[in-house]
Amino acid sequence: GDLDSLKGNIEDRASVTVLNGEEENGDPKCAKVCSGTTGRRSTDWTDYRGSTGVYTEVDISGCGFVKIPTITTAIEGSGSHWEITGTSAVYNAKTGSFSIYLRQTELT
């Protein structure tokens, strides 16, 4: 009755539509969205380029992607993080991980 109709409406609206990607789309019924965080104070940053940059490899293996996903990144902070470059630059994207490199810009 009404409960089955309600469930059907929710399932119809809870779908994911794949508009485009870097690889050929698979079955749209298998589209997947996964989100997470490396942790506000627990990200394992590694120095590179002397002291002007850091990087980290992010493990996304728990998402279970079978193709390389489209990855969107962001950082948050309490001040001066607007001076950082690389916040949306994803490197070495794979089905189970990716890297991100950050560097402080030189303001003049």
Side-chain angles (χ1 to χ4, degrees), residues 90-103:
V90 173
Y91 290 86
N92 306 315
K94 301 175 187 132
T95 57
S97 66
F98 69 91
S99 299
I100 185 166
Y101 293 75
L102 305 178
R103 185 172 63 88

Side-chain angles (χ1 to χ4, degrees), residues 8-9 14 25-26 33 37 40 46 49 52 69 79 87 102:
N9 286 337
N25 292 340
V33 174
T37 179
R40 283 191 175 99
T46 301
R49 296 188 63 167
T52 62
T87 59
L102 305 178

Side-chain angles (χ1 to χ4, degrees), residues 75 79-85 105 107:
I75 64 166
S80 299
H81 56 291
W82 61 272
E83 296 179 16
I84 303 296
T85 60
T105 58
L107 300 176

Side-chain angles (χ1 to χ4, degrees), residues 11-29:
E11 288 173 2
D12 289 343
R13 292 186 182 130
S15 64
V16 174
T17 302
V18 178
L19 298 176
N20 60 33
E22 296 299 322
E23 295 189 35
E24 182 178 324
N25 292 340
D27 184 340
K29 293 181 181 178

Side-chain angles (χ1 to χ4, degrees), residues 23-67:
E23 295 189 35
E24 182 178 324
N25 292 340
D27 184 340
K29 293 181 181 178
C30 297
K32 182 176 274 201
V33 174
C34 185
S35 66
T37 179
T38 57
R40 283 191 175 99
R41 292 178 176 81
S42 60
T43 303
D44 186 20
W45 293 107
T46 301
D47 288 341
Y48 85 100
R49 296 188 63 167
S51 62
T52 62
V54 293
Y55 75 92
T56 192
E57 184 164 327
V58 181
D59 180 357
I60 57 172
S61 61
C63 295
F65 292 117
V66 295
K67 293 187 176 189

